[in-house]
Amino acid sequence: MGRKSTTASAPANTTTTEIVPVGRGGIGGYLVGKVLPYTGPWIGAATLPPLVGFATNTMWGDAPLSAGLASAALAVGGAGLTAVTWKATPAGSKFGKFRRAQATASVAAGMGWLTCATAAGPFGSPLMDAWLIGGALFATSWNLRQIVRNGASGDVAEESNGGGLAALASAIGWEKVKVKEAKGSGKGTVAAKVEVEPGGTIESVQSTTAKVAAALHVPPSGVIVTPDPDNAARGTLSLRVADLLKDGVPFAMPTALGLLPTDDIPLGLYADGEVWAISPFAADILQHVLVMGVTGAGKSELLRALVAHLATRRKMTIFLVDLAKGRQTVGHIADGIDWLIQDAKEAKRMLRSLPAAIKARGDVLASEGLDQWTPDSSLNAMLVWIEEAADVADFDELDEIARKARSVGIWLGISLQRATWTNVSTDVRANLQGAMCFGVNEASDAGFCLPDSVTDSGAVPSWGAERPGYAIATGMGIPQDRWTTEVRSGLTDREELAALVAAGASVRDPLDSATATALGQAYEQRAHRGTNRLSPGVPAAPVAPIAAPPAHPVGSAHAGSGSAFDLETDDDMTSREEEAAEMEMQEAYDEIMGQIPADPEPDADYAGLSLEDDVPELAPDSDMEFEERDRATTEEARHILYVELDGWVRTGRLEFEPADLIPATTAAGRKRPWMQGELKRLVEIGLIQRDSHGSYSILHSPLQPA
């Protein structure tokens, strides 16, 4: 498939071949450019001594008295200049000590030769011989220093606080901090070792990163200080002096269709040009991920890239909940999502069905002899991604899912703007060990997402929405020494991703039967069904869920319907608006009727009867009659209850309250305690699930085989 061109910086780790600009001076010009930096010492050695020596000899060498006095003055001045050179040259490292000795020796030798040349002349023997030999050695020694300093790869030589570093240290309070072995990567970053003297701490150095960034004129997040885990007095200083990602990062295409979930997922580039990839399913522990950032920070772009990659893999299933803008964000790649949810009611059904699926998957893994999910299992790996989770589920539900899903191969992703305790509880957040923090407006907000060790080092993405796609990422198989390095996610193209996901249909596996069965009616009746290699022609457009009609009387013929949905035929498609209007009228009717007393005759003889009461004895003058019927057996009573539940399932109704079963319980000749016992039994065998506030969800119809 064709790819649109995208303006982006090429990855810095790509092998390149330097091309000699023959058209602009040819090979000779190229060599001159390489040699020119090393000619300075030779030019100085060749010109300065004879010129200066000739000048001083001409001025004072003719008369013995003036020559002697000038030589004495030059000798004293040379000694003083040599001492100043020794004192002024920094020597905080081994290389610095060599540099000081070399500079001091050069000044002493030069002044000594000049003193003699003033009296005897520069061109006589042995002064000319000393000039030729000494000058050549002088120039060669300084060339060697240049080569050692620059290194074969252009690294910066070992430095310690001196020169510019000394001024910087004084300005930011680093007098007790040694910075040494600074090395440039050639990719816009510089790394150096940091060591504090007794009385100092690396934590105090971390607290000054903002001052360092201001002093060096780099972004606030461009200065990172990471402690050495083996030595509390040492750390690593990282400086980002150039932004290689500012022109954008191209989307990284999969290397092949049909990869496994455990293969790396490339999502973008690091600040130094290296590939940013995650491998959550290959890590020793599957780490759920918390994604945070303000609107416009790039979370949706990342989600599209992640879904597109996983939608081209085998043994992978994706559930995605986005109640706000699901189709807008991932509509063009919805074919790769097995269950795309945009309805709050359906989202709650999915989350309530997950615990049963987790238990079933655990049983399967145990039978396969696996402690946790691997590609060797018959189960698919799963991604359950929830946008703005606080609007979808309560904290207890999320906490249970996050704690139990990890070992059974279900990767939970929660994305929101601010992960404060009001949006995600601390218990849930503790189980989201992976993090992708995009731009935030307040630096303190990053602490809700990133580990303290990362924010303490200075890696705080407090740029808001000004740098879309930039983030700090931790966990999910990312090496820990990369947690403080900025990343940028790839730029995606809608048509490109749509074509990629369409091609992936040939390798996508359907959800394994064990998980699908455990998810029950919620999964069977899902509104959106993605495509896979067994159903490439299934459209991705969601089917509008059918609202449950009022409860049917017991004994109505529901069992004759052979479909899980009462969907319209093609001839009835034009009546959707009428049905929607009828549904709204029904809801309004139910709301009004709910405010009316159930018994329109509160003074009637039967007004005080309830489900728990026995049939009363009738007064002789009463007009009421009760038909005597044989008591139903237990199996018959249960069947009446099951028919009612099955009827609700077939019409798309999966939630109910115990009061809704009173008609069926009455028809079965039973009372409330029996009904409550039956509900408890159905919960225990996994056909229904008790929700909050005493309501229930139907997981499986009791009349349909699981």
Side-chain angles (χ1 to χ4, degrees):
M1 76 190 71
R3 293 192 62 196
K4 292 188 176 182
S5 60
T6 305
T7 302
S9 301
N13 61 335
T14 303
T15 303
T16 59
T17 302
E18 186 173 11
I19 301 176
V20 179
V22 178
R24 298 184 181 180
I27 297 178
Y30 172 76
L31 293 177
V32 169
K34 287 292 186 181
V35 172
L36 188 60
Y38 297 94
T39 59
W42 292 93
I43 294 174
T47 58
L48 290 178
L51 290 177
V52 176
F54 177 76
T56 55
N57 179 258
T58 301
M59 294 175 63
W60 301 304
D62 293 339
L65 179 60
S66 60
L69 292 174
S71 297
L74 288 173
V76 174
L81 185 59
T82 301
V84 170
T85 303
W86 176 269
K87 188 68 175 178
T89 305
S93 64
K94 293 180 180 179
F95 190 85
K97 293 177 181 179
F98 166 76
R99 177 179 54 191
R100 180 168 65 179
Q102 182 187 29
T104 303
S106 298
V107 171
M111 291 303 297
W113 184 89
L114 180 62
T115 300
C116 296
T118 299
F123 302 116
S125 181
L127 288 178
M128 177 172 285
D129 299 330
W131 163 51
L132 293 175
I133 297 174
L137 293 174
F138 164 84
T140 302
S141 69
W142 282 92
N143 284 164
L144 289 174
R145 178 181 175 275
Q146 286 178 288
I147 294 173
V148 172
R149 179 191 64 192
N150 295 331
S153 62
D155 289 346
V156 180
E158 178 182 349
E159 297 283 350
S160 185
N161 293 23
L165 282 177
L168 175 64
S170 177
I172 61 178
W174 278 15
E175 292 85 354
K176 294 185 177 182
V177 179
K178 293 182 180 179
V179 181
K180 54 186 180 181
E181 298 182 24
K183 295 182 180 180
S185 65
K187 302 174 183 178
T189 61
V190 175
K193 292 183 179 180
V194 178
E195 184 174 342
V196 295
E197 296 179 357
T201 64
I202 293 297
E203 287 73 17
S204 64
V205 178
Q206 290 179 322
S207 66
T208 63
T209 53
K211 295 181 179 179
V212 179
L216 298 177
H217 298 279
V218 299
S221 60
V223 179
I224 306 297
V225 177
T226 307
D228 185 337
D230 299 324
N231 190 329
R234 296 178 180 176
T236 301
L237 170 66
S238 299
L239 305 177
R240 180 174 58 78
V241 295
D243 188 354
L244 303 182
L245 312 179
K246 63 181 180 180
D247 294 327
V249 174
F251 171 73
M253 294 289 288
T255 57
L257 296 178
L259 298 175
L260 290 170
T262 49
D263 291 314
D264 285 354
I265 307 171
L267 295 177
L269 296 178
Y270 284 100
D272 58 7
E274 297 292 334
V275 175
W276 169 40
I278 62 174
S279 53
F281 292 102
D284 294 336
I285 299 176
L286 179 60
Q287 295 179 321
H288 303 314
V289 61
L290 172 62
V291 180
M292 198 181 82
V294 299
T295 300
K299 302 189 301 296
S300 297
E301 194 87 56
L302 169 86
L303 176 60
R304 285 191 285 266
L306 178 62
V307 170
H309 270 284
L310 295 181
T312 65
R313 303 197 172 195
R314 296 181 291 121
K315 300 183 73 68
M316 187 72 221
T317 297
I318 302 172
F319 292 176
L320 194 150
V321 179
D322 190 346
L323 306 185
K325 53 178 184 176
R327 283 280 157 188
Q328 179 183 353
T329 302
V330 296
H332 54 296
I333 54 176
D335 274 355
I337 302 172
D338 189 42
W339 194 354
L340 175 59
I341 302 174
Q342 296 178 264
D343 177 72
K345 188 175 182 180
E346 188 176 12
K348 293 181 182 296
R349 289 180 180 178
M350 185 271 287
L351 291 174
R352 289 169 181 170
S353 65
L354 276 180
I358 293 172
K359 182 179 184 302
R361 289 171 66 89
D363 293 340
V364 171
L365 292 174
S367 66
E368 294 174 340
L370 298 173
D371 293 331
Q372 60 183 18
W373 182 89
T374 72
D376 296 331
S377 172
S378 61
L379 303 174
N380 278 14
M382 294 178 63
L383 168 63
V384 177
W385 191 276
I386 307 174
E387 293 284 336
E388 299 299 336
D391 299 334
V392 178
D394 60 43
F395 294 157
D396 291 338
E397 280 183 330
L398 287 178
D399 184 38
E400 180 183 3
I401 293 170
R403 284 187 292 103
K404 297 180 179 179
R406 182 180 294 110
S407 63
V408 298
I410 297 179
W411 183 30
L412 178 64
I414 292 179
S415 175
L416 68 173
Q417 294 188 29
R418 294 181 74 237
T420 60
W421 65 271
T422 57
N423 293 328
V424 177
S425 72
T426 54
D427 290 337
V428 174
R429 203 161 60 217
N431 284 290
L432 303 175
Q433 297 175 316
M436 298 182 191
C437 189
F438 289 80
V440 295
N441 288 330
E442 301 292 338
S444 58
D445 288 348
F448 295 124
C449 182
L450 296 171
D452 291 342
S453 60
V454 174
T455 54
D456 289 345
S457 70
V460 179
S462 56
W463 50 73
E466 296 180 359
R467 303 173 69 201
Y470 286 83
I472 302 294
T474 67
M476 302 172 292
I478 299 174
Q480 191 163 355
D481 59 358
R482 284 303 220 172
W483 287 10
T484 56
T485 305
E486 289 180 15
V487 297
R488 187 173 188 182
S489 59
L491 299 173
T492 61
D493 178 84
R494 296 180 70 89
E495 295 180 0
E496 182 180 70
L497 292 192
L500 176 63
V501 171
S506 61
V507 299
R508 283 195 293 273
D509 292 317
L511 180 60
D512 56 273
S513 59
T515 305
T517 300
L519 290 171
Q521 296 295 328
Y523 180 74
E524 178 62 28
Q525 296 187 9
R526 66 193 187 280
H528 167 92
R529 297 167 185 259
T531 64
N532 55 63
R533 60 182 175 80
L534 299 183
S535 58
V538 176
V543 179
I546 305 300
H552 294 275
V554 176
S556 59
H558 296 302
S561 174
S563 171
F565 293 102
D566 291 337
L567 299 177
E568 301 92 340
T569 63
D570 293 339
D571 295 336
D572 295 332
M573 293 295 289
T574 57
S575 64
R576 286 184 182 271
E577 294 182 0
E578 297 177 1
E579 292 181 0
E582 292 177 1
M583 290 169 56
E584 292 179 359
M585 292 177 61
Q586 181 64 49
E587 291 176 357
Y589 175 83
D590 292 341
E591 181 178 357
I592 293 173
M593 293 301 295
Q595 302 176 21
I596 300 176
D599 193 340
E601 301 181 57
D603 297 329
D605 294 337
Y606 56 84
L609 294 179
S610 66
L611 184 62
E612 289 77 10
D613 295 332
D614 294 325
V615 176
E617 295 183 1
L618 299 178
D621 57 348
S622 174
D623 295 332
M624 299 179 61
E625 295 183 1
F626 292 95
E627 179 183 356
E628 292 290 337
R629 300 180 59 181
D630 294 335
R631 179 181 176 86
T633 65
T634 300
E635 293 301 321
E636 290 173 342
R638 286 176 177 172
H639 182 73
I640 294 173
L641 195 66
Y642 295 169
V643 167
E644 186 73 356
L645 295 174
D646 182 68
W648 291 343
V649 169
R650 292 180 181 277
T651 57
R653 178 181 180 182
L654 298 181
E655 291 83 19
F656 68 93
E657 295 182 358
D660 298 334
L661 288 174
I662 288 178
T665 304
T666 302
R670 298 298 192 270
K671 297 182 180 180
R672 188 182 297 273
W674 176 85
M675 178 183 67
Q676 293 174 339
E678 287 300 307
L679 291 177
K680 181 178 179 181
R681 190 177 69 85
L682 292 175
V683 169
E684 292 175 350
I685 62 180
L687 294 179
I688 65 174
Q689 174 181 295
R690 192 177 191 278
D691 306 324
S692 58
H693 309 297
S695 60
Y696 290 83
S697 294
I698 304 175
L699 303 179
H700 297 278
S701 168
L703 296 184
Q704 298 177 15

